[in-house]
């Protein structure tokens, strides 16, 4: 990737410090920590999550192995896959897989995102001569028991978001990851029906709701039931699978849809970055601007084979500016923003494994040398909680928020599954 304005040393240092932060939230059975999501927060439960926090880590380790050839990255992929497999339920779903709604199982689109990365990891491990039997079984259970048995909708010929939604709603971002999983599983099972029937059905349901003309041409709404709302982040996640479907089936319509979607995303960028949401009949929702979502837009473009646009350099510099002294990246910019507010909201500042993984994948894809020793220190930030002053602190062992007048509001020991105090 061409980065004319970005020093490779910055990338190496950022990756090393982020690696150090990730180590502080990695417990004996997975990656821990509170979650600040687009739809809510999971703060009391801080235990391991088996959601898309693994996506960027697995892809990042694969990129580092490709660059360095060092077996340690394969070892990390195998360890992560063992952690994921241990969390799989009998119906193929995963415990604690709902990201901002943890601890619940069956998270959409988070489980498919994780499992698509597992499929990519399997290919990397197999090419390196590592065994994949346990991973194969995990993928089979997810496809046969969760996707086909529970989520396939015969009336709509696509995959539903949940068993409980009466087959009325689906998410294109989730379908895209499912399509990638099905392509991998067709190769694994030698049954092309998983592509020609199930993946094609999912792909056609995406094309069926893509805007073809007008100012929103190329846009794919966030779901079947929210046809007037578009997310550049979620739309970017559709690009790789559409390109894969075009290659697999020979149907140019999928490639054309991906190109149209890519052009739509680039056309929506503002001076301040990509909007959070675009509406058919309202002005765009500008913020909050999620650091990890921004990184993921560009990694999805790259995975789909698109050139990085001119705006990439400015956005990448913004991403780098969000790294904290402890090595994690602040989640967002713009939560609870009031005009001329002097302090950031606590949700902007608190880093989460499930967004930092996406930054990790981007940094790893750009890294071309040895990772240096990390240089990190404790974080002390003045923030607001419900508009009132507070102090956020973080070191290797704890995350802590204390109001200037209200006392301790949040206290999490990083090796524990639940926050000791959560009054946020």
């Amino acid at each position: 990737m061409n980065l004319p304005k970005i020093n490779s040393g910055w990338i190496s240092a950022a990756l090393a410090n982020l690696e150090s932060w990730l180590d502080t939230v990695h417990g004996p059975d997975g990656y821990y920590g509170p979650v600040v999501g687009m739809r809510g927060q999971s703060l009391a439960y801080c235990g391991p999550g088996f959601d898309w926090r693994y996506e960027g880590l697995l892809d990042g380790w694969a990129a580092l192995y490709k660059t360095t050839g060092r077996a340690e990255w394969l070892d990390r992929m195998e360890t992560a896959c063992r952690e994921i497999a241990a969390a799989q339920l009998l119906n193929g779903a995963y415990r604690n897989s709902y990201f901002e709604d943890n601890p619940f199982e069956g998270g959409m689109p988070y489980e498919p995102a994780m499992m698509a990365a597992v499929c990519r990891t399997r290919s990397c491990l197999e090419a390196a001569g590592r065994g994949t039997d346990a991973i194969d079984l995990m993928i089979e259970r997810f496809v046969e028991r969760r996707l086909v048995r529970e989520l396939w909708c015969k009336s709509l010929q696509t995959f539903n978001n949940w068993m409980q939604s009466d087959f009325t709603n689906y998410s294109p971002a989730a379908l895209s990851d499912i399509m990638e999983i099905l392509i991998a599983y067709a190769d694994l099972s030698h049954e092309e029906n998983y592509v020609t029937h199930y993946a094609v059905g999912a792909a056609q349901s995406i094309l069926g709701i893509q805007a073809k003309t007008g100012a929103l041409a190329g846009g794919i709404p966030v779901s079947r039931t929210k046809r007037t709302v578009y997310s550049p982040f979620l739309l970017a996640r559709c690009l790789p699978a559409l390109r894969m479907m075009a290659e697999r089936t020979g149907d140019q319509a999928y490639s054309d849809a991906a190109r149209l979607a890519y052009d739509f995303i680039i056309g929506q960028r503002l001076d301040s970055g990509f909007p959070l949401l675009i509406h058919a009949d309202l002005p765009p929702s500008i913020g909050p601007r999620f650091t990890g979502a921004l990184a993921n837009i560009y990694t999805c473009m790259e995975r789909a084979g698109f050139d990085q646009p001119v705006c990439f350099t400015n956005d990448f510099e913004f991403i780098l500016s969000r790294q904290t002294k402890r090595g994690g990246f602040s989640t967002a910019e713009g939560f609870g923003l009031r005009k001329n507010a002097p302090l950031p909201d606590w949700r902007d500042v608190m880093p989460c494994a499930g967004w930092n993984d996406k930054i990790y994948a981007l940094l790893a894809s750009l890294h071309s040398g040895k990772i240096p020793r990390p240089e990190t220190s404790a974080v002390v930030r003045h923030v607001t909680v419900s508009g009132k002053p507070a102090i956020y602190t973080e070191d290797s062992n704890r995350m802590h928020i204390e109001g200037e007048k209200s006392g301790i509001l949040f206290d999490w020991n990083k090796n524990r599954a639940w926050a000791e105090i959560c009054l946020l």
Side-chain angles (χ1 to χ4, degrees):
M1 193 182 300
N2 186 23
L3 299 175
K5 296 183 180 180
I6 299 172
N7 188 310
S8 61
W10 299 350
I11 297 171
S12 295
L15 185 61
N17 292 340
L18 177 53
E19 187 85 60
S20 174
W21 181 82
L22 287 166
D23 286 343
T24 71
V25 297
H26 186 229
D29 50 354
Y31 285 86
Y32 286 52
V35 173
V36 176
M38 291 183 170
R39 299 178 298 187
Q41 296 87 43
S42 173
L43 303 172
Y45 176 76
C46 296
F50 302 93
D51 46 42
W52 65 9
R53 72 188 68 190
Y54 275 95
E55 177 187 46
L57 300 179
L58 289 169
D59 286 344
W61 295 327
L64 291 170
Y65 173 70
K66 181 179 179 180
T67 300
T68 67
R70 292 169 57 182
E72 68 174 284
W73 306 117
L74 298 175
D75 296 340
R76 291 199 185 196
M77 285 186 266
E78 288 183 330
T79 297
C81 287
R82 285 194 295 268
E83 292 170 352
I84 295 168
Q88 191 171 35
L89 304 173
L90 290 177
N91 71 337
Y94 293 86
R95 61 183 176 88
N96 306 334
S97 62
Y98 237 113
F99 196 49
E100 67 262 82
D101 288 321
N102 276 341
F104 291 104
E105 71 279 358
M108 293 287 277
Y110 312 114
E111 284 186 351
M114 177 180 70
M115 289 306 296
V118 167
C119 290
R120 296 190 292 271
T121 294
R122 182 200 179 278
S123 296
C124 182
L125 291 172
E126 183 181 47
R130 299 286 181 106
T132 63
D133 288 350
I135 297 175
D136 294 351
L137 179 59
M138 177 168 53
I139 295 170
E140 179 184 3
R141 284 175 176 165
F142 186 70
V143 172
E144 298 287 2
R145 300 183 186 183
R146 179 60 175 163
L147 295 182
V148 173
R149 184 184 299 176
E150 294 188 344
L151 298 183
W152 177 251
C153 173
K154 293 181 180 179
S155 60
L156 294 179
Q157 291 293 291
T158 193
F159 292 92
N160 193 36
N161 276 3
W162 316 281
M163 295 172 64
Q164 296 85 357
S165 58
D166 296 326
F167 306 119
T168 61
N169 196 26
Y170 57 81
S171 161
L175 291 181
S176 297
D177 288 315
I178 290 171
M179 285 149 53
E180 186 171 347
I181 296 165
L182 292 169
I183 290 172
Y185 187 62
D187 291 337
L188 181 62
S189 64
H190 306 292
E191 293 288 346
E192 193 63 16
N193 181 55
Y194 290 99
V195 173
T196 58
H197 179 53
Y198 294 110
V200 166
Q204 288 297 322
S205 67
I206 292 177
L207 267 57
I209 61 173
Q210 183 179 36
K212 302 300 191 300
T213 60
L216 299 174
I220 299 173
V222 297
S223 72
R224 179 175 180 263
T225 58
K226 295 182 178 179
R227 300 285 286 272
T228 62
V229 182
Y230 303 82
S231 161
F233 162 58
L234 294 177
L235 177 49
R237 294 183 61 83
C238 298
L239 300 178
L242 288 172
R243 278 289 182 87
M244 290 176 68
M245 286 295 294
E247 182 178 351
R248 185 65 170 237
T249 66
D251 190 338
Q252 183 66 26
Y254 300 131
S255 184
D256 291 344
R259 167 56 69 177
L260 201 61
Y262 171 82
D263 291 341
F264 173 81
I265 295 168
I266 299 304
Q268 298 302 319
R269 190 181 181 280
L270 308 172
D271 290 341
S272 58
F274 294 100
L276 177 68
L277 296 172
I278 298 154
H279 307 274
D281 49 2
L282 294 169
S285 301
I286 303 302
R289 188 181 185 189
F290 281 79
T291 317
L294 181 61
N296 197 228
I297 287 174
Y298 289 111
T299 54
C300 288
M301 288 178 178
E302 183 181 25
R303 284 190 58 228
F306 289 108
D307 293 334
Q308 295 293 6
V310 174
C311 58
F312 172 77
T313 299
N314 287 338
D315 283 342
F316 187 70
E317 289 174 347
F318 168 79
I319 291 169
L320 288 181
S321 74
R322 303 293 292 163
Q323 191 166 32
T324 71
K325 291 182 178 180
R326 188 59 200 82
F329 284 75
S330 296
T331 290
E333 182 182 71
F335 265 110
L337 185 64
R338 294 180 299 174
K339 193 171 183 179
N340 299 321
L343 298 173
D345 188 272
W346 66 271
R347 292 167 292 182
D348 289 327
V349 172
M350 180 182 284
C352 307
W355 291 117
N356 273 267
D357 73 296
K358 287 150 186 46
I359 301 167
Y360 185 88
L362 179 61
L363 292 172
S365 72
L366 301 172
H367 179 68
S368 59
K370 183 179 179 181
I371 298 178
R373 291 178 61 86
E375 296 182 5
T376 63
S377 59
V379 175
V380 179
R381 291 284 304 273
H382 290 273
V383 299
T384 60
V385 176
S386 299
K388 298 179 181 179
I391 297 177
Y392 171 89
T393 59
E394 182 188 354
D395 57 27
S396 299
N397 302 310
R398 304 189 83 86
M399 284 185 183
H400 184 89
I401 299 177
E402 185 167 356
E404 291 187 2
K405 296 182 179 180
S406 52
I408 299 173
L409 299 173
F410 181 80
D411 189 52
W412 173 52
N413 184 322
K414 288 185 177 181
N415 64 7
R416 296 185 180 175
W418 295 85
E420 296 183 47
I421 299 174
C422 183
L423 301 176
L424 295 171

